[in-house]
Amino acid sequence: MPKTLQYVLSCYRALLWLYPPDLRHAYGNDMADVFKQILWAEWTRRGMRGVAAAGRRAFGELITVAIPSHLMSDWMIATGLSLVITSGVLASLVNVMMSRPCR
């Protein structure tokens, strides 16, 4: 396998951490193997244009599958709610302190 394909595959493997852990642990190796096969097929058929097209499809999947899966996790929802509630409380306290007359 050419160094270029090895580099692209290494980048893909590194980006697998964007997927939820349960999905990544169950299917991560299979996903990387399939991507490797796709890269090789595209390389032999269309060269770098095929590799670029495969990379774009993989990146699109990251945007549409991996990142939204993380955003819908319990941890992200709890973190977001905590940020909103804390910001609201802080804004209320600042508002109360600013509306008091000075002595």
Side-chain angles (χ1 to χ4, degrees):
M1 178 177 280
K3 291 256 187 222
T4 304
L5 297 185
Q6 290 175 2
Y7 177 73
V8 172
L9 185 58
S10 295
C11 290
Y12 181 79
R13 285 185 186 273
L15 290 173
L16 284 177
W17 71 269
L18 290 171
Y19 284 91
D22 54 339
L23 180 72
R24 184 178 61 242
H25 294 303
Y27 302 108
N29 289 332
D30 294 334
M31 292 167 65
D33 288 341
V34 168
F35 187 67
K36 180 180 178 181
Q37 293 170 8
I38 291 170
L39 279 180
W40 184 251
E42 290 292 340
W43 174 261
T44 57
R45 195 174 62 144
R46 298 190 312 169
M48 278 307 293
R49 282 188 175 187
V51 171
R56 280 192 305 272
R57 287 191 302 269
F59 185 73
E61 184 179 290
L62 286 172
I63 299 297
T64 59
V65 176
I67 294 173
S69 296
H70 272 291
L71 293 177
M72 295 307 295
S73 70
D74 292 342
W75 183 83
M76 282 299 288
I77 292 170
T79 303
L81 283 174
S82 175
L83 178 64
V84 168
I85 291 168
T86 303
S87 298
V89 169
L90 179 62
S92 298
L93 289 174
V94 168
N95 188 26
V96 167
M97 302 246 338
M98 296 297 287
S99 64
R100 287 185 147 175
C102 295
R103 292 185 181 200

